[in-house]
Amino acid sequence: MLLCPRRTLFSLLCLLLLVMSACSSYKLQGRVVRGTGSYIQVVDADDPRLEGAGIAGAQVTVTLDPQRLKRKVIGSTTTDGSGNFSIAIDEPGAGFLEYDIGIKASGQGLIHALSFMELPSSRRRVLVTLQVGRDVSSFEDTLMQDEDLWEEAERYR
């Protein structure tokens, strides 16, 4: 049986890329800044808004598959003195494969922001804008909690 040299080469290249991406550590990086609303967006690494005055001490949490029953918190951190954050994502193929994530950012005296998206490439950054104000919880916040919904249903059964 003869194998097609192109197919074999392509398969080896895909396997090499997968192994390399699994070995290298992907970091979700961004900045939390103050603004007139609370929202999260993915921007280019050279976006000028990433240079603005940041919010120190804000909490940023990342959840994998946030809208599924088997969701899990895969990283959490507090911003540094300039409002920057970096969260190592240790999932296989992170930065190469597509992952659905949820990002929640909050801080004392700030209205939290919550967003669902695909894990951005390592060449992009997450810009979090938080508005000053009294924070309130919402239904979406429960989607970001790391709990087993089947256990919860059994408890009230």
Side-chain angles (χ1 to χ4, degrees):
M1 179 174 163
L2 293 173
L3 292 175
C4 175
R6 283 187 177 160
R7 180 175 286 172
T8 303
L9 182 60
F10 179 74
S11 297
L12 287 173
L13 183 59
C14 288
L15 181 62
L16 179 63
L17 283 173
L18 186 60
V19 168
M20 286 175 48
S21 67
C23 294
S24 64
S25 179
Y26 171 87
K27 290 183 189 246
L28 180 68
Q29 299 178 36
R31 186 173 208 150
V32 178
V33 298
R34 195 169 271 116
T36 57
S38 290
Y39 53 92
I40 299 172
Q41 56 190 347
V42 176
V43 299
D44 291 328
D46 61 354
D47 191 298
R49 294 172 292 177
L50 292 168
E51 300 302 320
I55 299 174
Q59 182 72 29
V60 180
T61 303
V62 180
T63 301
L64 181 64
D65 294 329
Q67 297 176 325
R68 296 181 187 242
L69 292 176
K70 289 292 186 179
R71 64 185 170 265
K72 71 175 184 177
V73 174
I74 56 175
S76 185
T77 191
T78 302
T79 58
D80 65 14
S82 299
N84 296 314
F85 66 88
S86 179
I87 300 174
I89 308 294
D90 293 328
E91 294 299 311
F96 178 70
L97 299 175
E98 292 181 6
Y99 282 104
D100 291 327
I101 62 168
I103 301 176
K104 181 179 179 184
S106 59
Q108 189 170 5
L110 301 165
I111 299 172
H112 77 275
L114 177 65
S115 184
F116 302 109
M117 64 182 69
E118 284 185 1
L119 189 65
S121 79
S122 59
R123 295 181 303 259
R124 310 269 289 168
R125 300 292 178 262
V126 175
L127 176 63
V128 179
T129 305
L130 297 179
Q131 180 180 351
V132 174
R134 184 171 165 259
D135 198 18
V136 294
S137 290
S138 64
F139 171 73
E140 289 83 13
D141 293 340
T142 61
L143 295 176
M144 294 293 291
Q145 295 174 358
D146 189 22
E147 63 183 38
D148 187 346
L149 292 181
W150 289 117
E151 253 180 51
E152 186 80 12
E154 286 295 318
R155 189 168 60 201
Y156 291 105
R157 196 171 113 169

